[in-house]
Amino acid sequence: MTTDTAVDDPAGPADRYDVLVVGAGFAGMYLIHKLRALGFTVHAVEAAGSVGGTWYWNRYPGARCDVASLEYSYSFSEPLQQEWEWTERFAAQPEILRYAEHVADRFDLRRDITFDTRIRTADFDERAGLWRLRADGGRTFVGRFLITAVGCLSAARTPDWPGQRDFTGPIYHTGQWPHHEVDFTGQRVAVVGTGSSGIQVIPPIAEQAAHLTVFQRTANFSLPTRNRPLLPGEQADVKARYPQIRAMMRDNPRALHRRTGKGVLQVPEQVRRAELEQRWRDGEVSFLTAFTDVLTDADANRAVADFVREKIRATVTDPVVAELLCPQGHPIGTKRICRDTGYFETFNRDDVDLVDVRSEPIVELTPGGVRTSRREYPVDAVVFATGYDAMTGALTRIDIRGRGGRSLRQVWADGPRSYLGLAVAGFPNMFTVTGPGSPSVLVNVIMAIEQHVEWLAELLGHLRDRGVTRVEADPGHQDAWVAHVADLAAATLYPQADSWFIGANVPGKPRVFLPYVGGLDRYRRRCDEIAAAGYPGLRFDDPAPDPYPAPDPTPTSDPVV
Ligand code: NAP
């Protein structure tokens, strides 16, 4: 299915491929490797200056993965997983970025990536059956298939308080950290946000700055990471057993390799306590994987949440601050659980203050500080750890247009609709790796990426073998999948939290639970069954009537050729 390498385009000559990929993080890199090996011409366009995606951008102090390094890594190449040496139990950002760069070099991926180029529009030309992507600066790429590999947490969000432009110091976002070293020595710093990023960045900033003020809206559950160098022999042991370990991970809902299989309330209190204590002490894996019912049974959840609140109270010496840091109002795990190194201890320092912005909302930034409803806090620098327009933001920030010029933004205005989190009715030949409706952010995401890439590669091979040039999700199957994803979420405690999983962090975003909670193991089996049955939810060269009858008020763009 190799197409010509150049076509005429109203915007000038365009590069043309079988498959266009947006993004060169872990998903984009594996797509290039996998599809190239199958003989497809494939090209990725990446906004960053190099590979690595989230690990390219998140250079903030303390950035570290909370999945064990030996598990948060590609499994597709045995030589790769044997040769790469991890130094720490939970790798820090620079090491993961080095790993991504090693993968890019080892598999010679860079020759099929255009860096420093952000895609702004993607249009499907129905007559030609081709996608045309336009980048900043006007460069155009044309391809038969479009696969988005844009990441679930890459569209950063910052507050827009009055006075932000007038603040005289620097303002940072954890997800867009500068490439040069940021030195807070002697400075008064404000950190806004206490999610996973805030909880990681706060301790190292407190170490360096003259004074740190943390602005907290919602206290979060966080477990100690207990990071350490990998012990001699530990890595060799895992490498010797990698095939078995990876097989266990593939058969695990979260694509990790340990769980107890028991419910919290099924074990006597002493046993439960001992299990939680051991996990707290060892930082082995999250409590959510220790027991089977934490996310489905309110009493089980409360028992685990109470244990963590007890630990916070025992760590933080000022009882008023301790209470403010104790999460209330959402079950543990229904907002993404955080992992930290010395987070709660940081609030015992004399040079760190905690401001509760629920009782004292931020009103504006002044030239020299942050003003709340109560007072002004003078600061020299502001760090936003305020999160992302998760799972859909990176897609809807591109003006993607499918059949009839229909825009993805409009089609998803009431919440994303997707078949398997991979394909969208009305958007032929487009696939979304770790898209909404897939396990993605609820599991070890590299394993989720591998599952998607391998399934898509098999599908594209299947289409090529049969001479199919156009594939599209069937609207009926899509509706059924959307309902299934919603039903699974409704049977859990997740919808009780105002989390980014449900879009609650973005004003106006529809409240739709975004990821698939059924587990990567179950999801994989379903995808495999669908492939074995000849892809019943996909229409081959057989478009359905317009699945979105309401007119699209926005204009369509020019045809490709
Ligand atoms: P996040 O979890 O969405 O946290 C954002 C924080 O900013 C929340 O505390 C939020 O409060 C607060 N916030 C947002 N807007 C605010 C405003 N206008 N005023 C005051 N506070 C505001 O974002 P994140 O910490 O960047 O993490 C996102 C996800 O990335 C994580 O859940 C995780 O999946 C991933 N991540 C993983 C790691 C790791 O592996 N260790 C590290 C970093 C990130 P509310 O809760 O009240 O909205």
Side-chain angles (χ1 to χ4, degrees):
M1 193 189 286
T2 305
T3 45
D4 307 336
T5 51
V7 293
D8 291 331
D9 186 85
D15 300 319
R16 178 162 162 176
Y17 305 91
D18 293 331
V19 184
L20 285 174
V21 175
V22 183
F26 279 87
M29 288 199 293
Y30 186 34
L31 277 165
I32 297 170
H33 176 67
K34 186 80 190 166
L35 296 178
R36 197 202 260 167
L38 293 176
F40 293 101
T41 59
V42 52
H43 194 82
V45 187
E46 167 59 61
S50 188
V51 295
T54 205
W55 300 104
Y56 175 92
W57 296 105
N58 281 266
R59 295 161 185 257
Y60 61 85
R64 184 179 295 286
C65 186
D66 58 10
V67 178
S69 339
L70 285 155
E71 298 184 24
Y72 189 84
S73 47
Y74 287 121
S75 69
F76 70 81
S77 161
E78 182 62 12
L80 170 67
Q81 66 179 8
Q82 289 299 331
E83 79 200 7
W84 180 262
E85 291 286 314
W86 294 103
T87 65
E88 293 181 279
R89 186 182 188 198
F90 297 100
Q93 175 270 335
E95 186 166 13
I96 304 176
L97 186 56
R98 278 201 300 281
Y99 171 73
E101 285 172 346
H102 168 77
V103 172
D105 294 337
R106 189 187 196 289
F107 297 104
D108 190 19
L109 303 180
R110 291 179 206 270
R111 68 180 157 89
D112 285 325
I113 306 172
T114 297
F115 291 108
D116 295 310
T117 303
R118 185 173 286 281
I119 294 299
R120 293 294 176 189
T121 65
D123 296 86
F124 183 67
D125 182 289
E126 288 185 60
R127 191 170 56 79
L130 296 171
W131 280 95
R132 183 189 56 213
L133 274 54
R134 280 227 175 91
D136 271 347
R139 188 157 170 202
T140 305
F141 302 85
V142 173
R144 172 81 55 204
F145 295 98
L146 163 62
I147 307 187
T148 63
V150 291
C152 296
L153 293 155
S154 51
R157 293 198 72 250
T158 49
D160 54 353
W161 292 310
Q164 253 163 252
R165 289 223 184 91
D166 304 325
F167 180 69
T168 51
I171 298 180
Y172 305 99
H173 189 286
T174 47
Q176 295 169 338
W177 204 258
H179 283 222
H180 59 82
E181 198 196 332
V182 177
D183 186 0
F184 292 113
T185 306
Q187 297 196 0
R188 297 160 303 175
V189 180
V191 173
V192 182
T194 51
S196 297
S197 306
I199 279 175
Q200 286 190 329
V201 83
I202 284 164
I205 293 182
E207 285 285 322
Q208 198 178 49
H211 190 273
L212 171 64
T213 309
V214 175
F215 293 87
Q216 171 187 276
R217 188 163 69 184
T218 307
N220 256 310
F221 291 99
S222 184
L223 313 177
T225 307
R226 311 277 188 224
N227 183 45
R228 54 167 173 74
L230 282 170
L231 303 172
E234 192 175 6
Q235 181 149 216
D237 172 54
V238 169
K239 286 184 175 179
R241 295 185 298 118
Y242 248 144
Q244 299 95 295
I245 288 174
R246 294 295 194 184
M248 283 169 72
M249 290 166 70
R250 280 192 195 97
D251 202 28
N252 177 287
R254 289 187 179 247
L256 300 168
H257 121 263
R258 193 181 147 188
R259 68 202 284 223
T260 66
K262 288 192 201 110
V264 169
L265 303 176
Q266 288 171 332
V267 295
E269 194 182 336
Q270 269 176 322
V271 175
R272 174 203 318 159
R273 205 168 170 95
E275 177 78 30
L276 292 175
E277 280 291 352
Q278 191 214 320
R279 282 168 192 264
W280 183 269
R281 207 176 43 244
D282 295 351
E284 183 57 42
V285 283
S286 152
F287 292 167
L288 304 182
T289 48
F291 295 103
T292 52
D293 53 357
V294 182
L295 287 166
T296 49
D297 184 306
D299 292 332
N301 188 286
R302 198 171 311 109
V304 176
D306 283 345
F307 175 88
V308 177
R309 283 189 281 259
E310 245 176 63
K311 291 290 183 192
I312 296 170
R313 292 186 185 110
T315 307
V316 179
T317 48
D318 180 331
V320 176
V321 176
E323 263 342 284
L324 276 180
L325 289 168
C326 277
Q328 306 287 355
H330 67 274
I332 186 168
T334 54
K335 279 173 140 322
R336 166 67 151 76
I337 210 151
C338 306
R339 301 289 294 265
D340 71 276
T341 302
Y343 174 66
F344 294 112
E345 292 83 344
T346 297
F347 293 92
N348 293 334
R349 298 174 66 113
D350 294 336
D351 52 5
V352 174
D353 291 327
L354 180 65
V355 176
D356 169 25
V357 305
R358 282 192 195 270
S359 63
E360 189 184 341
I362 295 172
V363 179
E364 62 173 351
L365 292 194
T366 64
V370 180
R371 190 194 305 281
T372 68
S373 57
R374 249 177 237 158
R375 54 164 283 205
E376 181 176 353
Y377 294 83
V379 296
D380 305 302
V382 173
V383 174
F384 286 138
T386 44
Y388 300 87
D389 182 352
M391 300 205 68
T392 53
L395 289 167
T396 54
R397 283 182 187 192
I398 304 171
D399 186 6
I400 300 178
R401 287 172 183 264
R403 283 205 277 136
R406 192 60 57 86
S407 93
L408 188 69
R409 253 176 234 157
Q410 195 218 13
V411 164
W412 282 5
D414 296 328
R417 304 190 68 75
S418 167
Y419 177 55
L420 302 174
L422 271 169
V424 183
F427 293 79
N429 293 3
M430 179 182 93
F431 301 101
T432 53
V433 173
T434 64
S438 77
S440 56
V441 291
L442 294 182
V443 308
N444 177 354
V445 76
I446 297 195
M447 299 295 281
I449 285 168
E450 287 191 333
Q451 187 271 338
H452 268 186
V453 171
E454 287 159 14
W455 194 85
L456 285 175
E458 198 181 318
L459 170 64
L460 294 192
H462 180 92
L463 301 179
R464 179 173 57 187
D465 294 347
R466 283 156 187 77
V468 174
T469 57
R470 202 171 297 201
V471 57
E472 185 180 335
D474 173 69
H477 283 78
Q478 175 172 284
D479 289 348
W481 184 256
V482 170
H484 174 58
V485 171
D487 288 348
L488 286 177
T492 70
L493 303 175
Y494 276 113
Q496 294 185 18
D498 288 334
S499 68
W500 60 256
F501 292 140
I502 205 161
N505 64 324
V506 179
K509 191 165 174 174
R511 200 176 168 96
V512 171
F513 196 79
L514 297 167
Y516 169 87
V517 297
L520 185 59
D521 51 347
R522 182 169 163 190
Y523 177 84
R524 181 192 307 278
R525 283 195 295 276
R526 187 74 200 109
C527 288
D528 289 349
E529 284 163 13
I530 289 166
Y535 304 98
L538 296 176
R539 300 173 80 105
F540 295 164
D541 287 334
D542 171 28
D546 185 351
Y548 312 105
D552 188 338
T554 42
T556 58
S557 5
D558 324 325
V560 175
V561 285

